[in-house]
Amino acid sequence: MCLGIPGRIVAIDDRADPADPVLGTVDFAGLRRSVCLDFTPAAGIGDYVIVHVGFAISQIDEAEAAKTLAVLDAIPDVWETELGPEAAT
Amino acid sequence: MKYLDEYRDPALAVKLLAELHATATRPWAVMEVCGGQTHTLVRQGIDELLPAGIRMIHGPGCPVCVTPLEVIDKALAIAARPEVIFTSYGDMLRVPGSAGDLLGVRARGGDVRVVYTPLDAVRIARQHPDREVVFFAVGFETTAPANAMAVRYAADAGIGNFSVLVSHVLVPPAITALLDAPDNQVQGFLAAGHVCAVMGWTEYEPIAARYRVPIVVTGFEPLDLLEGILMAVRQLEQGRSEVENQYARAVRRTGNTAAQEVVRRVFRVTERNWRGIGPIPTSGLALAAEFSAYDADTRFATTGVRTEENPDCIAGAILRGTKLPTDCAAYGTRCTPRTPLGAPMVSAEGTCAAFHNSGRRPAPSTVEEIG
Ligand code: SF4
């Protein structure tokens, strides 16, 4: 659970209540998940973030995201563990 | 060099290795703290490509592995209650407690559900106001902000049927405890990149200075690790003991302050028992007084849980870095990822599982040589 996966923000949801979490959609090499963006307030649509247990914890650039994805691919079950069963490919 | 052709950039790997060979004039022992880094090192055979004498010690950085047995047993007791929906990250489900694991509780009818983010647990609580939803809040500094946020949202939204069983651990006090141990062999550390993405590295600066150990914040791709090791060895050779950042693309010195703020608000620092290691002062997080109503431990009064470790498992020595999985008599025979006797065989981040997944076999001569 401790790895974190880079993905690209493709949408940021409207909030009904300002106390609600800032949620957005992040694309992980084609798989899309709802992600909380509260900890990366400067990140906008098109930016890359490292996502860990459903929260973006750090903003990174595109080239670095690709490097990190390459190594994650080598770890068994990483997609399923970090993103859910539908993510297992 | 058999593994090098698998690298994203084999030429750079060769260059870093050559540089490492040119730099190292003496034996050094460097610990990678993070289980994800252990996985990359073992899988890519990086530890076997290093100059003779440069030894990687695999650290306790697997959150699944270090969660103490009494907490697993509490989780099993709570999850078995009929009114409870017990939610957890998936890799905690197979961690053996004194008697069985969470999967076993589910097989006996317990409502145990895997969630990928603690916000899902809050959502389940909202959907089932007639049930008690408990989330198993474990992990290092990387998961703490998400888990803290789940508690904060539940509090803000007035969701009363949600609570958390907290067993968070913190890396810097564990590093200090390892360095204080009389049998410590670690001379330099690779600090876990994503822990530092959240926390920054200011906490490591006094440790590096006081114990005179280099600490290099490192990512977890193979080239990150090679570069991190080179940076640590270079410091050791030059007699320096600084905190350096190899993982500059994701980590800044002060970390993610928004994430730190919610952790500070929802949790307080406490002593924590580490599975296989024992209690370490100020190495854990528990709910702050303001949020004590969300503490599953008190809500379900799980006192009187009696724990019993499997006597064959040498997880403690593995987590302290004094023994290798291949030193364990049960490794690969009675203990495999499908039938784990101890926590380090459960998660892909555990050292025993990393060794097993990479097909490492017991090799007595090698073990003697480096031990
Ligand atoms: S191989 Fe299994 S029994 Fe041996 S130390 Fe690792 S987890 Fe424990």
Side-chain angles (χ1 to χ4, degrees), chain B residues 65-73 167 272-275 309:
Chain B
C65 307
V66 300
T67 302
L69 189 58
E70 63 268 23
V71 177
I72 306 285
D73 287 350
S167 186
R272 179 70 64 200
N273 200 10
W274 291 52
R275 190 169 190 172
E309 282 283 4

Side-chain angles (χ1 to χ4, degrees), chain B residues 108-330:
Chain B
R108 290 191 296 276
D111 195 344
V112 177
R113 303 186 192 181
V114 172
V115 292
Y116 300 91
T117 165
L119 293 182
D120 285 342
V122 179
R123 200 169 305 135
I124 292 171
R126 199 173 241 158
Q127 288 160 355
H128 298 273
D130 52 325
R131 305 280 300 277
E132 281 288 335
V133 176
V134 180
F135 176 68
F136 202 178
V138 296
F140 284 94
E141 288 92 330
T142 30
T143 39
N147 296 350
M149 208 62 138
V151 174
R152 218 204 71 195
Y153 287 140
D156 288 350
I159 299 174
N161 63 326
F162 175 77
S163 59
V164 283
L165 181 61
V166 184
S167 186
H168 271 296
V169 277
L170 302 171
V171 172
I175 288 186
T176 309
L178 288 167
L179 287 166
D180 280 333
D183 58 351
N184 170 56
Q185 300 164 14
V186 182
Q187 294 163 296
F189 285 92
L190 306 186
H194 289 159
V195 164
C196 296
V198 171
M199 296 307 293
W201 65 80
T202 52
E203 290 174 286
Y204 294 92
E205 288 166 342
I207 300 176
R210 180 167 153 223
Y211 292 90
R212 298 179 173 278
V213 287
I215 301 178
V216 181
V217 178
T218 305
F220 55 94
E221 79 140 333
L223 292 175
D224 288 333
L225 285 156
L226 279 175
E227 192 177 15
I229 296 165
L230 174 61
M231 289 165 77
V233 168
R234 209 177 258 152
Q235 283 203 49
L236 286 164
E237 290 282 344
Q238 295 170 356
R240 288 185 294 127
S241 45
E242 294 158 22
V243 182
E244 288 182 304
N245 184 20
Q246 181 279 330
Y247 199 36
R249 61 188 192 257
V251 179
R252 279 159 282 282
R253 181 170 178 270
T254 49
N256 185 324
T257 44
Q260 291 162 25
E261 206 180 287
V262 66
V263 170
R264 255 196 306 275
R265 197 177 144 211
V266 172
F267 293 125
R268 66 187 160 84
V269 171
T270 183
E271 177 176 282
R272 179 70 64 200
N273 200 10
W274 291 52
R275 190 169 190 172
I277 295 180
I280 302 177
T282 69
S283 72
L285 296 172
L287 283 171
E290 189 193 337
F291 294 93
S292 58
Y294 293 87
D295 191 350
D297 202 355
T298 44
R299 192 176 291 198
F300 300 99
T302 54
T303 48
V305 170
R306 287 187 47 199
T307 60
E308 209 179 313
E309 282 283 4
N310 188 307
D312 297 341
C313 178
I314 59 164
I318 304 235
L319 293 170
R320 286 193 308 273
T322 56
K323 284 219 157 68
L324 290 172
T326 41
D327 298 335
C328 174

Side-chain angles (χ1 to χ4, degrees), chain B residues 312-315 318 325 328-332 335-336 340-346 352:
Chain B
D312 297 341
C313 178
I314 59 164
I318 304 235
C328 174
Y331 171 79
C335 182
T336 67
L341 287 189
M345 191 58 98
V346 173
C352 297

Side-chain angles (χ1 to χ4, degrees), chain A residues 18-75:
Chain A
D20 285 347
V22 179
L23 297 175
T25 304
V26 174
D27 181 292
F28 302 91
L31 299 157
R32 293 188 170 198
R33 289 290 178 276
S34 170
V35 165
C36 180
L37 302 171
D38 276 350
F39 299 140
T40 51
I45 291 174
D47 288 337
Y48 283 80
V49 285
I50 292 177
V51 175
H52 182 63
V53 296
F55 284 73
I57 55 166
S58 186
Q59 202 178 327
I60 54 170
D61 73 36
E62 183 174 357
E64 300 303 343
K67 284 187 200 172
T68 310
L69 278 172
V71 66
L72 286 170
D73 267 340
I75 301 180

